[in-house]
Amino acid sequence: MGHHHPGYPTFQGTPSPVTPWQHQGSQPPAPGCSLGSDAPSMVVPGTPTGPCSLLSLASQTPCAHLAGGRIPASRRHPSVLGLGRMEARGVPVPVPALATEPRFAQRLREHLEEEQLLDGRYRLQEVPGGRVALPVVEEKLSQLRLPQEIPCGLVQIQDPVPSRAARRQTPAQKLRDELRRLLGKSWSEELERDVPRAWQRHGDLVLLSEDCFRAALWEKLGPALWETVTSALGARRLARRGRVLPDGMRSPSVTLLLGQDGWVEHVDNGIRYTFDVTKCMFSPGNITEKLRVASLPCSGEVLVDLYAGIGYFTLPYLVHAAAAFAHACEWNSHAVEALRRNLALNGVQDRCRIHHGDSRQLELWDVADRVNLGLIPSSEEGWPVACRVLKKGTGGVLHIHHNVETVPSPAPPQTLVLQAKRGSLEGAGSDGEVQHPTEDGGKETLGARIRPEWQRWAEATAARIRGLLVELHGQPWRTSILHIEAVKSYAPHVHHLVLDLECRPMLPT
């Protein structure tokens, strides 16, 4: 889980497992053991040095650094004596670090840098208990002296993360080299083309795409292949996705290649999502829309999310946009389980009611100020329900998702920027460009102009919704296009769009 504290860098990912250096006569936990929130403090009380006393690496006895104490040469860690550190292939080597509270992290970092004790090969990491661990140079531990006002303790990071400066290879290059070593003389250009260059990372689980490791030779390697891939990518679990199943639920076809289960946690804009990657979809390409939803003025409003999934949009509405209450509809039981967990993880379970089942059969009327229809390629089957749940006295706003095809046109750029019914389309820059990420969430962004096809689709949708509302209530309604958002490029010449459509009853004059 990622947190941001003033005064030191933002940390992402799950807290790193750490091992405290134990008291005399005890042994450090085996590699991989985690220090929970109820673990003993790293501070050694009662020693002459106060809150910054540390424990010796080799002897596990208190070492009074502030009072001038040193680790005796005969009792130092073998690597301090120049014997080298033993590292099994693919197994991370634990590194010593100083763990302190976030408010002291920046001061401690500055001190360690000044004394040339900070180990720049590894990143600062968040460790259990909400503390920050700063890797230190093991060979210089005997020189360590710290200001008494900075409380800290010596720990061992079991899974150190290399710093950017230390990364001489990209992950893709490292993966390729490890596989080349594994295969030896069997390596070929064909196999190299079959090695993935991109993937999704969810904590300690890496999710590969379906178009990799398809050559027959890979199968002959057995578990050694997946162990090598997992290790090279710095993960513990590995999965590969297939095509989305045509079951109406957009269920992923994902195979777990290494690991016990597929439950992961992902953090977007301060919101925690947990889900089983083998059962539920998570599209990083939708991040721009989730950020936009989070900024909408929804205070006091009631939301109906007709296709809630694991809470992709339900949670931003509740956590950041301050919606008063949400009705979340979802028919996939696996997604419903993840949604329940996510509501609780983010402390909003009391402001949401889950409707498990087909949203077309939803038994709600006249409740919503806002309706989210986040289903692609089309949410059209949900339009009648959306009209029914809108408050009939005041109406509200529909957020309608749809995949719209754009025919390539040689028309000059200035003719492509169109006006919506209520002024210029929001989100467009001075040159009419709307930036959005690629489908796989890569760094590349695509410029998408407000195309004529998008405008025609929006106008047709507005007319259709207006007709449904008039038929439902027997009185005139008006629909106004507030905004057209280009979320991402879904396929060549196909864009995932969101139409913000205001729907209001026309009161008799």
Side-chain angles (χ1 to χ4, degrees), residues 11-77:
F11 300 91
Q12 295 182 340
T14 54
S16 172
V18 299
T19 301
W21 298 104
Q22 306 293 323
H23 291 280
Q24 188 172 12
S26 64
Q27 297 296 324
C33 295
S34 297
L35 175 64
S37 58
D38 57 347
S41 170
M42 297 302 98
V43 176
V44 185
T47 59
T49 61
C52 272
S53 297
L54 305 176
L55 300 180
S56 163
L57 279 170
S59 65
Q60 291 95 46
T61 56
C63 178
H65 291 283
L66 285 178
R70 302 287 184 92
I71 299 177
S74 61
R75 305 182 68 180
R76 294 178 197 162
H77 192 276

Side-chain angles (χ1 to χ4, degrees), residues 66-123:
L66 285 178
R70 302 287 184 92
I71 299 177
S74 61
R75 305 182 68 180
R76 294 178 197 162
H77 192 276
S79 67
V80 179
L81 302 176
L83 300 181
R85 303 176 76 180
M86 300 300 292
E87 177 179 3
R89 177 175 160 182
V91 178
V93 176
V95 300
L98 292 178
T100 189
E101 297 175 29
R103 58 194 174 116
F104 296 112
Q106 185 62 26
R107 291 167 59 193
L108 180 56
R109 178 175 186 164
E110 292 172 354
H111 179 82
L112 292 175
E113 287 178 337
E114 182 179 346
E115 299 296 325
Q116 298 184 338
L117 294 171
L118 187 69
D119 194 337
R121 296 174 300 170
Y122 304 102
R123 290 177 56 182

Side-chain angles (χ1 to χ4, degrees), residues 198 201 357:
R201 183 179 296 274

Side-chain angles (χ1 to χ4, degrees), residues 245-501:
L245 298 177
D247 57 0
M249 301 184 187
R250 288 187 59 78
S251 300
S253 173
V254 173
T255 302
L256 193 65
L257 304 172
L258 189 68
Q260 297 299 315
D261 66 74
W263 280 93
V264 299
E265 184 169 311
H266 189 78
V267 179
D268 262 350
N269 195 23
I271 297 175
R272 298 169 63 186
Y273 297 88
T274 185
F275 58 99
D276 186 339
V277 295
T278 68
K279 306 293 184 183
C280 301
M281 293 285 293
F282 189 92
S283 175
N286 289 338
I287 180 61
T288 54
E289 180 62 7
K290 283 181 277 190
L291 290 171
R292 191 179 75 92
V293 161
S295 68
L296 294 174
C298 302
S299 180
E301 293 186 351
V302 174
L303 165 76
V304 172
D305 191 348
L306 289 180
Y307 310 101
I310 67 171
Y312 310 104
F313 299 113
T314 306
L315 288 167
Y317 276 114
L318 290 171
V319 175
H320 293 310
F325 195 83
H327 293 275
C329 312
E330 178 55 45
W331 67 354
N332 184 333
S333 59
H334 300 295
V336 167
E337 172 60 25
L339 177 59
R340 292 188 195 281
R341 297 189 187 193
N342 292 332
L343 290 169
L345 271 177
N346 293 278
V348 293
Q349 65 272 29
D350 294 336
R351 291 161 49 209
C352 183
R353 177 185 172 189
I354 298 176
H355 300 264
H356 185 185
D358 190 336
S359 61
R360 291 170 294 188
Q361 315 301 323
L362 179 64
E363 295 188 0
L364 280 180
W365 298 266
D366 188 25
V367 297
D369 300 291
R370 197 176 293 266
V371 183
N372 196 71
L373 297 104
L375 181 66
I376 54 174
S378 174
S379 60
E380 191 168 350
E381 288 190 355
W383 295 359
V385 181
C387 292
R388 173 161 47 84
V389 300
L390 275 180
K391 291 180 177 178
K392 62 182 180 181
T394 55
V397 178
L398 306 183
H399 300 280
I400 303 171
H401 292 236
H402 197 83
N403 281 354
V404 178
E405 185 174 358
T406 303
V407 179
S409 170
Q414 59 267 26
T415 66
L416 296 178
V417 181
L418 301 180
Q419 302 297 310
K421 284 193 175 184
R422 295 183 60 179
S424 300
L425 294 177
E426 302 169 9
S430 58
D431 60 352
E433 296 287 324
V434 179
Q435 296 296 323
H436 60 278
T438 57
E439 170 69 2
D440 62 1
K443 293 183 179 179
E444 179 185 3
T445 57
L446 302 175
R449 299 185 182 278
I450 305 303
R451 312 294 174 82
E453 292 88 349
W454 301 0
Q455 182 75 12
R456 287 196 290 270
W457 165 74
E459 291 174 352
T461 300
R464 173 78 186 283
I465 295 293
R466 184 168 60 250
L468 289 172
L469 288 165
V470 170
E471 180 181 354
L472 178 66
H473 297 293
Q475 69 179 78
W477 279 64
R478 63 175 174 84
T479 54
S480 304
I481 298 173
L482 299 179
H483 176 64
I484 300 174
E485 176 77 9
V487 179
K488 62 179 180 288
S489 177
Y490 190 82
H493 311 302
V494 177
H495 289 85
H496 174 183
L497 304 182
V498 180
L499 167 62
D500 295 351
L501 188 67

Side-chain angles (χ1 to χ4, degrees), residues 119-175:
D119 194 337
R121 296 174 300 170
Y122 304 102
R123 290 177 56 182
L124 279 65
Q125 290 182 246
E126 184 178 354
V127 296
R131 295 171 302 156
V132 179
L134 292 78
V136 292
V137 179
E138 187 172 307
E139 289 78 1
K140 295 184 178 181
L141 278 175
S142 61
Q143 305 172 19
L144 189 59
R145 291 181 177 81
L146 297 169
Q148 188 168 354
E149 65 271 14
I150 303 179
C152 58
L154 188 61
V155 298
Q156 187 184 43
I157 301 178
Q158 295 294 329
D159 296 297
V161 179
S163 65
R164 290 184 180 179
R167 295 172 185 165
R168 298 180 180 177
Q169 292 181 305
T170 66
Q173 290 171 332
K174 183 178 180 180
L175 174 61

